[in-house]
Amino acid sequence: MAKRIKTINESLDEIKKDIPVLGLIASLNPIPQTGLDRETDSFIDDGMGRLRTVFLNWVDLGDKLLEFKCVRGLSLSGKCIKELPESIGMLRHLRLLRIKGTYIKVIPNSVCMLYNLQTLPHPNLKSLEIKYFKGEKFPSWLLGSDNIRGGLLLFDHLLEIRLSYCSKCEKLPTLGHLPSLKVLGIAEMYNVRCIGTEFYGSSNGEGSSNSRGGSGSTVLFPALEKLVLGHMRNLEEWNDVTEPTAELGMIFPRLERLQVWGCEKLTSAPHHFPSLKKLFISGIRGPAFEQIISELTTLTSLEIWEISELACLPEHFLQKNRSLMDLRIWNCADLKSILPRGHEWPICTSLRSLHIFRCDELRTLPRALCNLHCLEDIHVEACLNLSSFPSIKGIASSLQRLRLCCSDEVLPPGLQSCMSLQHLYIDHWPHLLSIPDLRNLHSLTVLIIACCPNLISIPDTKEFPSLTCLVIRDCSNLISIPVLKELPSLTRLEISGCPNLISIPDMRELPSLTDLEIRDCSNLISIPVLKELPSLTRLEISGCPNLISIPDMRELPSLTDLEIRDCSNLISIPVLKELPSLTRLSLYEIYILR
């Protein structure tokens, strides 16, 4: 050993000679001849006799540093150091990088090229992301028990951790005792089949001093506010804490947002989320979903997508979560009703938004919907077997946005009383024959009528002073459209997919209209005079094979975009040279016979 130490000291002397050339001011202390302790021993490369760690007090990190072929460790402690260069990534054999007492705030991306790096521990680290890690288990500095017991307060200031695409790892690190962690994201961990108790804390119940409650009991994830589990496609079990490491209510005490998606095999999940407000669940099975929501009482927002084996929401869920304001249910193919059969909508009077999309087995909505007097937004779309829609008369004063689809022949009672209604979508009503008079809807700004194949007529729109968008689309039996005048606020008008329309009414006196589309009206013969449209910037006329002529456009001073497509019987097109603002002209499948 003495001979090896002598060799290393001689190497240090040689390095000192090169310091001026390399532009370094360094402290390279020789290893003592005797009294070799464990820390000094750790600096010796077994069998190689080469220096493993160099301590630099003031470093000018540049390309010259790369000439230290023997460097295995680098410790920066000088307060004059402000940055690490990207070239540090060329130190391929570096095993230890210690940053202490410096002004360095950002580590360059080239650190990812240090494949032999074993230790990187800054004490004020706030955000940590590990991505595409190819090891079978996480490194000891992340998994080490010293962190759990508080002996090494390495991550005391850590606020955010993100682990993703670590495809070979089978277990998650122990993170429950990190005192400041607020955001935790775990995604694409394909080899993890079980989230066990080690995720929360040590099996012996010892926690750090910073994560104990007032009674001395251990608090797990004491500061966590957002947790994301994404695309854990082989995850089967997400266990709760079963050991006496924490009392109920001391797990996730501050967690307010939980997202779980893409965990199709998950069969069990925890249910202790005492402060949860926003929950997003997608791509899991109904039993696991019901476990997660079984004891929730503080939820304000619930969004679920593609939950299989879910026939209805548990009755107690809506009873307990009286502060629920936003409920969204998307693509739940097995959902037959919102509530169990025979039960009406309980309590939940704070609900403001209800969205239901593509739930093909859903046949009815609760009749007590009209008792939710705070409800502002109802969005029911692409529910092909929904046979009836309850009255909305009781919520007429609060309702602002309404999107409806149904197989009934009439719109829901109470629609004409919705004085506050701003957005109205009547979409996919295959048997709808007519729309009642809507002249009292003075607040209406958007009116979209789409996919109503049996609709014959549309009521007068003259009483809509606030209307900015009018869309009439895919109404194959529609034979007439009311006069489109006296709509001072209208900016967008679309008439498309109406093959039985022969003509379009006068469109003058639309001073705010900027976008006009007339598409796929196969029997349309003529278009009215396009005058007094001073704001029109875009005009599209397409899919109208029987259209003979297009009116004069010389009085469209703001028109910048003109497209005429698939109008094969046009005899002529208007003169275009007097359109001073035109910048884009598209003509497709136009045959002008002279």
Side-chain angles (χ1 to χ4, degrees), residues 116-127:
N116 292 302
L117 195 64
Q118 296 178 358
T119 305
L120 174 64
H122 191 288
N124 293 321
L125 187 67
K126 288 183 169 56
S127 178

Side-chain angles (χ1 to χ4, degrees), residues 398-435:
S398 63
L399 200 60
Q400 298 180 15
R401 292 171 296 278
L402 180 61
R403 185 163 192 162
L404 305 173
C405 78
C406 188
S407 60
D408 203 350
E409 294 182 359
V410 295
L411 293 174
L415 179 60
Q416 295 158 288
S417 305
C418 296
M419 303 289 290
S420 301
L421 195 64
Q422 299 175 10
H423 293 196
L424 175 58
Y425 298 77
I426 302 172
D427 193 3
H428 285 88
W429 282 65
H431 303 299
L432 187 66
L433 299 176
S434 62
I435 295 176

Side-chain angles (χ1 to χ4, degrees), residues 146-175:
D146 285 340
N147 282 335
I148 299 172
R149 291 193 295 266
L152 179 61
L153 301 180
L154 185 62
F155 299 134
D156 265 12
H157 301 285
L158 197 62
L159 301 177
E160 179 178 13
I161 295 180
R162 296 190 183 274
L163 309 174
S164 60
Y165 296 99
C166 304
S167 56
K168 292 185 178 180
C169 289
E170 295 183 358
K171 291 186 177 182
L172 298 180
T174 298
L175 303 172

Side-chain angles (χ1 to χ4, degrees), residues 529-534 552-558 578-579:
V529 175
L530 297 172
K531 288 185 176 182
E532 300 178 31
L533 300 175
D552 196 341
M553 292 187 285
R554 285 180 292 182
E555 297 186 27
L556 300 177
S558 301
E578 298 185 23
L579 295 173

Side-chain angles (χ1 to χ4, degrees), residues 343-372:
H343 293 268
E344 278 302 318
W345 199 287
I347 306 173
C348 206
T349 54
S350 59
L351 197 69
R352 295 183 179 179
S353 178
L354 173 64
H355 284 213
I356 304 174
F357 176 78
R358 197 169 287 171
C359 297
D360 291 343
E361 290 298 315
L362 185 66
R363 300 185 182 278
T364 60
L365 292 176
R367 287 176 304 194
L369 192 70
C370 62
N371 295 327
L372 305 178

Side-chain angles (χ1 to χ4, degrees), residues 12 17 43 100 106 121 123 179 197 201 211 214 223 227 240 301 332 358 380 435 481 488 518 572:
L12 287 172
K17 295 177 183 178
F43 297 152
K100 183 178 181 181
V106 178
T197 54
S211 59
L227 173 60
D240 217 330
S301 174
C332 292
R358 197 169 287 171
V380 181
I435 295 176
I481 291 177
I518 301 173
S572 64

